[in-house]
Amino acid sequence: EVVLTQSPLSLPVTLGQSASISCRSSQGLVYSDGDTYLNWFQQRPGQSPRRLIYKVSNRDSGVPDRFSGSGSGTDFTLILNRVEAEDVGVYYCMQGTHWPFTFGQGTRLEI
Amino acid sequence: EAQMVESGGGLVQPGGSLRLSCVASGVNFSVYWMTWVRQAPGKGLDWVANINPAGSDKWYVDSVKGRFTISRDNAKNSLYLQMNSLRVEDTAVYYCVRRPRDLDYWGQGTLVTVSS
């Protein structure tokens, strides 16, 4: 099973500053179709998870361009620029390349 | 607008059974793999099972194999999860999600509580 290790697990930030979350995989995540199925999700308090970034760096429709994803191989990063109050929640990385698909432990972002 | 609505959760005793349903709209249900993902109270996200568009290929995580069965009815735009031999550790919110490899659309979830 692929293990995704997120860091930090808790991320206190100041409004307007930037934040970065790391996701390290125990295996490479390139699928046989050539794509890398490393995705990022946001879960606000009391809500269902919402996808932010798919296949490493593709931002979903409606997601502010303050969010960006990058990485390759086994190291991936989610960056939040100019953090706003609405960004509070838990962020998860997830790999959809190797079954069973797996999630990181989650990073709690707090203002 | 894409929407998935889960139902069927509730309180059940250990060893009991429950059937979850998910009705999808606006997501072209019949051509996509679907999945169930769960989240125990205060915990992270965990996989449960996937099913291909035809309903002929099903993947399960080890912890639910032999106890849970995923199925679908494309004519009704519906996804199901039959859960038998439920354990206390199955207590969670269960989410119906489209496209297991990248989980693009999520339902609001239905809470299953296994307790005596």
Side-chain angles (χ1 to χ4, degrees):
Chain A
E1 177 174 306
V2 174
V3 177
L4 297 180
T5 303
Q6 288 185 229
S7 62
L9 298 184
S10 179
L11 185 54
V13 297
T14 302
L15 290 175
Q17 289 193 331
S18 294
S20 174
I21 301 171
S22 169
C23 177
R24 290 189 169 170
S25 173
S26 60
Q27 296 180 32
L29 298 180
V30 179
Y31 186 53
S32 56
D33 63 5
D35 282 328
T36 299
Y37 290 91
L38 188 288
N39 312 295
W40 289 96
F41 299 85
Q42 175 195 61
Q43 187 173 31
R44 290 170 170 154
Q47 294 187 13
S48 302
R50 161 201 184 197
R51 195 179 70 178
L52 297 174
I53 302 286
Y54 62 97
K55 291 190 280 187
V56 181
S57 59
N58 297 278
R59 194 182 309 111
D60 269 279
S61 174
V63 174
D65 61 7
R66 302 184 291 104
F67 291 87
S68 63
S70 65
S72 64
T74 58
D75 287 346
F76 303 91
T77 303
L78 176 70
I79 293 177
L80 294 74
N81 289 315
R82 305 181 305 280
V83 170
E84 299 183 3
E86 67 176 18
D87 299 334
V88 166
V90 181
Y91 292 80
Y92 297 93
C93 60
M94 166 258 165
Q95 67 84 18
T97 298
H98 304 289
W99 181 251
F101 303 152
T102 47
F103 291 94
Q105 320 97 299
T107 294
R108 184 173 301 276
L109 187 145
E110 44 201 28
I111 307 293
Chain B
E1 183 184 344
Q3 190 174 21
M4 277 169 298
V5 180
E6 301 94 336
S7 61
L11 175 63
V12 61
Q13 291 188 338
S17 298
L18 216 52
R19 188 193 195 213
L20 306 184
S21 299
C22 167
V23 178
S25 58
V27 292
N28 203 3
F29 178 82
S30 64
V31 303
Y32 288 102
W33 281 75
M34 295 294 297
T35 191
W36 289 97
V37 172
R38 67 184 178 182
Q39 185 172 36
K43 302 296 184 182
L45 300 165
D46 287 314
W47 231 271
V48 179
N50 301 339
I51 188 168
N52 71 337
S56 57
D57 195 4
K58 304 173 184 182
W59 304 353
Y60 299 93
V61 293
D62 285 347
S63 59
V64 307
K65 277 181 186 174
R67 301 188 300 121
F68 290 12
T69 302
I70 189 172
S71 62
R72 66 192 296 162
D73 184 337
N74 288 338
K76 296 181 178 179
N77 284 347
S78 293
L79 178 72
Y80 306 102
L81 186 67
Q82 178 66 44
M83 303 186 295
N84 298 330
S85 303
L86 281 161
R87 304 168 180 168
V88 170
E89 56 264 33
D90 295 318
T91 295
V93 174
Y94 285 72
Y95 295 102
C96 163
V97 196
R98 193 181 80 161
R99 289 174 50 135
R101 290 197 188 278
D102 53 24
L103 302 177
D104 59 352
Y105 288 112
W106 295 65
Q108 87 289 346
T110 187
L111 175 62
V112 172
T113 303
V114 185
S115 174
S116 54

